[in-house]
Amino acid sequence: MKIKFKNSIPLDDSTLWSKLKAGDEKAFSLLFEKYYEQLLRYGNSFSSDTEKVQDCIQDVFADVWLYKNTLNENAIVKAYLLSSVRNRLARIQERDHIFRKTTSTDSLDFLFDFSIEHQLIIDESTADKVNLLNKNINLLPSRQKEALYLRYHQGLSVEQIADLLDVNYQSANNLLHRALLHLRKEWNSCIPLLLLLSPSVL
């Protein structure tokens, strides 16, 4: 989604990011408005304390503004913000002793519940299969489920997922491959699995 200033052409993330780095408060506000809800949903996948997640997101954006001069000009904005929220939540949860003490974000449990909508369901048999698919997605190991979410719901590349999860490319690719392999074993339908996993229906 592109946003635009009043009476101007649409601005993509990279343009807004550059303007933010130059001190443009409007660009900063537009990025906040664009990604706040996505970041809130992602943060709530790790913590049910919505107020704490909201504070975390606000802190991330406060840091973005405070340290705007040192930000990477070529950053992938969505991936950067998702990663920043994830890492900050991990530090907060370590501090609060909600999870075992660790300096790694591996301890975070991804609690997002996938629910594929029924736009593509044409009969009761297919509905049963989609419900089974939902169930199997939500039973996947936490890291595999998060990798699927980042790939097919947030649209991140494998390289970006690897950076966000702090693993190498092959490890991120393996997470996706194992998750999809497991789901394909459970899915027996003419509707392509990847179509059901696409952002438009998640």
Side-chain angles (χ1 to χ4, degrees), residues 64-191:
V64 164
W65 183 255
L66 183 62
Y67 301 110
K68 57 185 177 293
N69 293 331
T70 64
L71 295 173
N72 183 350
E73 180 72 36
N74 300 313
I76 306 300
V77 177
K78 177 189 280 190
Y80 176 86
L81 293 174
L82 288 169
S83 179
S84 296
V85 168
R86 189 183 198 276
N87 290 334
R88 185 175 289 270
L89 278 172
R91 292 195 298 271
I92 290 172
Q93 291 178 342
E94 176 188 350
R95 182 197 65 196
D96 293 346
H97 306 289
I98 295 175
F99 291 87
R100 66 184 182 277
K101 191 168 184 179
T102 178
T103 57
S104 170
T105 57
D106 289 347
S107 63
L108 284 173
D109 287 327
F110 188 71
L111 307 175
F112 181 86
D113 283 330
F114 282 87
S115 180
I116 295 172
E117 301 296 340
H118 289 187
Q119 292 99 316
L120 303 177
I121 295 176
I122 56 177
D123 54 44
E124 186 175 348
S125 174
T126 305
D128 290 341
K129 290 174 181 177
V130 169
N131 288 333
L132 179 62
L133 180 59
N134 279 330
K135 179 180 177 181
N136 279 283
I137 291 175
N138 289 308
L139 289 175
L140 288 170
S142 178
R143 297 276 275 185
Q144 290 182 26
K145 189 163 69 164
E146 185 177 2
L148 282 181
Y149 172 85
L150 293 170
R151 183 73 181 95
Y152 297 105
H153 191 61
Q154 292 295 343
L156 300 191
S157 68
V158 178
E159 292 90 344
Q160 291 162 2
I161 293 170
D163 288 342
L164 195 154
L165 298 181
D166 196 24
V167 297
N168 61 39
Y169 176 92
Q170 189 58 52
S171 295
N173 199 47
N174 288 344
L175 285 171
L176 289 165
H177 177 74
R178 286 196 295 268
L180 292 172
L181 188 63
H182 173 77
L183 294 177
R184 286 192 183 103
K185 289 179 181 178
E186 304 295 335
W187 183 251
N188 183 21
S189 170
C190 60
I191 302 176

Side-chain angles (χ1 to χ4, degrees), residues 40-59:
L40 183 61
R41 287 195 297 272
Y42 186 55
N44 280 335
S45 298
F46 301 110
S47 172
S48 59
D49 189 337
T50 299
E51 185 175 343
K52 182 178 292 184
V53 174
Q54 291 173 331
D55 288 344
C56 172
I57 294 169
Q58 290 170 1
D59 287 345

